[in-house]
Amino acid sequence: DAKTTQPPSMDCAEGRAANLPCNHSTISGNEYVYWYRQIHSQGPQYIIHGLKNNETNEMASLIITEDRKSSTLILPHATLRDTAVYYCIVREGTGGTSYGKLTFGQGTILTVHP
Amino acid sequence: DAGITQSPRHKVTETGTPVTLRCHQTENHRYMYWYRQDPGHGLRLIHYSYGVKDTDKGEVSDGYSVSRSKTEDFLLTLESATSSQTSVYFCAIRGTEGPTQYFGPGTRLLVL
């Protein structure tokens, strides 16, 4: 699975958009970009994933560059409850030899302040 | 919470004692995973299962065994707990429709 690079920490004001970047320059054609987050003391929570098109759901939007070497997770109106560690993970889709394993890096600590 | 429960949620035990952690799902998903999370290491895969009685090792499997006798339950056993196994343990499940995993609430284990 491709390696990802994320900033170790970011701040965001409550009510503003939080834009979390992720670099994955070695991504291959069949690998998806996944975002998870982990709120303190809880299990990781799935947010969104995409292959090459931008995606949006009730939690966030995912913008993937045309060359697929980087992506941005957007929380449109951050709240205090969005304070968490955000993980960008790149892995292949269903099948393959990696049995669905997720490799979590260090992630980005997002702090939303009043 | 995707229908996943873990028990116990907290446990304190002594070195050398056996410990079993349980992961229970109500989603009838095929794949189940056990991870541990430690400061500075992120989440690391211990064992996983791809069906009843079908299990395999992850990256940090030494000192752990697993069993899956029915779809809904995946057990993680520490045969003889050591202080290095003090950690937070997370179970995850995955359906066959894609690689998205859903995690349980975690079990905090302290080995004295």
Side-chain angles (χ1 to χ4, degrees):
Chain A
D1 295 342
K3 182 178 178 180
T4 61
T5 303
Q6 299 178 250
S9 63
M10 295 183 66
D11 288 338
C12 178
E14 188 176 20
R16 303 297 293 271
N19 297 281
L20 291 90
C22 179
N23 288 319
H24 31 79
S25 58
T26 60
I27 192 170
S28 61
N30 65 340
E31 289 182 314
Y32 288 72
V33 180
Y34 280 79
W35 284 84
Y36 282 75
R37 74 180 182 183
Q38 188 171 22
I39 297 170
H40 181 64
S41 298
Q42 298 181 20
Q45 177 188 24
Y46 165 78
I47 301 173
I48 198 167
H49 75 280
L51 183 61
K52 50 184 172 183
N53 297 321
N54 297 338
E55 301 287 345
T56 295
N57 63 20
E58 65 279 4
M59 289 183 67
S61 295
L62 174 60
I63 308 298
I64 303 174
T65 58
E66 192 169 344
D67 63 7
R68 302 208 325 121
K69 293 184 177 183
S70 66
S71 60
T72 301
L73 177 75
I74 301 173
L75 307 178
H77 304 288
T79 71
L80 299 179
R81 288 176 293 181
D82 292 322
T83 293
V85 181
Y86 286 78
Y87 297 99
C88 170
I89 300 167
V90 173
R91 59 145 288 122
E92 61 188 27
T94 304
T97 59
S98 60
Y99 47 83
K101 168 191 163 185
L102 293 176
T103 301
F104 287 80
Q106 297 303 309
T108 296
I109 301 172
L110 174 68
T111 303
V112 181
H113 52 85
Chain B
D1 60 2
I4 309 170
T5 57
Q6 292 184 230
S7 58
R9 294 293 313 280
H10 303 270
K11 186 169 182 65
V12 180
T13 191
E14 294 186 349
T15 298
T17 59
V19 177
T20 296
L21 309 183
R22 179 185 184 228
C23 177
H24 178 78
Q25 61 149 329
T26 59
E27 305 297 314
N28 203 37
H29 282 331
R30 176 180 178 186
Y31 298 93
M32 299 184 75
Y33 306 81
W34 277 107
Y35 292 84
R36 61 178 287 175
Q37 185 171 34
D38 306 287
H41 289 279
L43 280 98
R44 293 179 291 175
L45 182 66
I46 305 171
H47 281 279
Y48 67 101
S49 169
Y50 47 96
V52 173
K53 293 186 169 45
D54 292 324
T55 66
D56 207 343
K57 297 178 180 180
E59 58 185 309
V60 289
S61 59
D62 288 347
Y64 301 95
S65 62
V66 290
S67 66
R68 192 167 177 201
S69 59
K70 45 187 178 177
T71 300
E72 57 266 34
D73 288 325
F74 192 31
L75 304 181
L76 177 71
T77 298
L78 291 64
E79 300 291 347
S80 178
T82 67
S83 58
S84 65
Q85 293 175 311
T86 291
S87 187
V88 182
Y89 292 86
F90 290 102
C91 173
I93 63 174
R94 176 171 79 89
T96 54
E97 71 285 357
T100 302
Q101 293 184 21
Y102 299 93
F103 286 78
T107 293
R108 293 185 175 275
L109 176 67
L110 174 61
V111 183
L112 301 175

